[in-house]
Amino acid sequence: MPTSVLRLADIDSTAIESLLAHYGLSLVRVPEGEAIPGSYWGEDEAGIIGNTVYARGDTPVHSLLHEAGHLIVLPPERRVETHTDATDSIAEEDAVCYLQIVLGGTLPAVGSDRVMADMDAWGYTFRLGSAKAWFEHDAENARDWLVEHGLLTAAGEPV
């Protein structure tokens, strides 16, 4: 497990910006030391307002992907009303966790394994003990939810 989580400043954000744009979202970089708008957890965690994800250089990549995932799973008409908290259900929250892992796998210098390790380091809890164990052995419902909502292919690839 990494000693510290991967942060936005550690990677080239171009790939994340392109990924977000694919889903009709944008990334706003918040200056260091300023509060992140729309952050549910505060401090360095990403925030969401409407179609925008807010992050600083010290924002964990897994946090940015998680908050973006909340917007991605919402229909466009609900996105515009979203501010800070976007979860409707446990099923949706599980789907967002699954999606952030899949999306991390599409980013150069990130990868699904790193996202899962960072989720564990941050304190996500799964009944099988780790994000990786959950993703590989206990996340069928989350995966099915994403497939049913047209966000993953049957092969598990992001749409």
Side-chain angles (χ1 to χ4, degrees):
M1 182 176 304
T3 57
S4 65
V5 298
L6 188 65
R7 307 222 175 238
L8 183 57
D10 298 331
I11 64 169
D12 177 1
S13 64
T14 306
I16 288 178
E17 292 167 355
S18 178
L19 175 68
L20 295 180
H22 173 76
Y23 292 101
L25 306 175
S26 60
L27 174 65
V28 170
R29 303 267 319 236
V30 177
E32 299 304 318
E34 289 189 18
I36 298 174
S39 178
Y40 183 83
W41 296 103
E43 300 177 16
D44 57 1
E45 299 295 318
I48 51 173
I49 301 173
N51 292 311
T52 305
V53 179
Y54 295 86
R56 292 190 311 234
D58 64 339
T59 297
V61 172
H62 74 86
S63 173
L64 193 156
L65 292 173
H66 185 87
E67 296 307 323
H70 276 297
L71 295 177
I72 292 168
V73 303
L74 291 176
E77 63 274 7
R78 286 214 25 239
R79 285 182 190 175
V80 297
E81 301 169 357
T82 300
H83 193 302
T84 309
D85 189 8
T87 300
D88 269 352
S89 66
I90 291 171
E92 186 176 289
E93 183 68 29
D94 289 348
V96 168
C97 288
Y98 193 96
L99 185 60
Q100 84 186 82
I101 294 166
V102 171
L103 294 177
T106 69
L107 296 172
V110 178
S112 295
D113 286 337
R114 180 60 192 253
V115 171
M116 290 184 281
D118 286 356
M119 290 169 74
D120 292 339
W122 188 86
Y124 286 70
T125 57
F126 297 97
R127 65 180 169 213
L128 294 183
S130 72
K132 187 172 183 73
W134 171 77
F135 184 79
E136 293 177 349
H137 305 290
D138 194 36
E140 298 85 15
N141 291 344
R143 185 180 176 284
D144 292 346
W145 191 98
L146 291 165
V147 171
E148 288 170 18
H149 287 81
L151 297 167
L152 286 184
T153 67
E157 299 295 321
V159 175

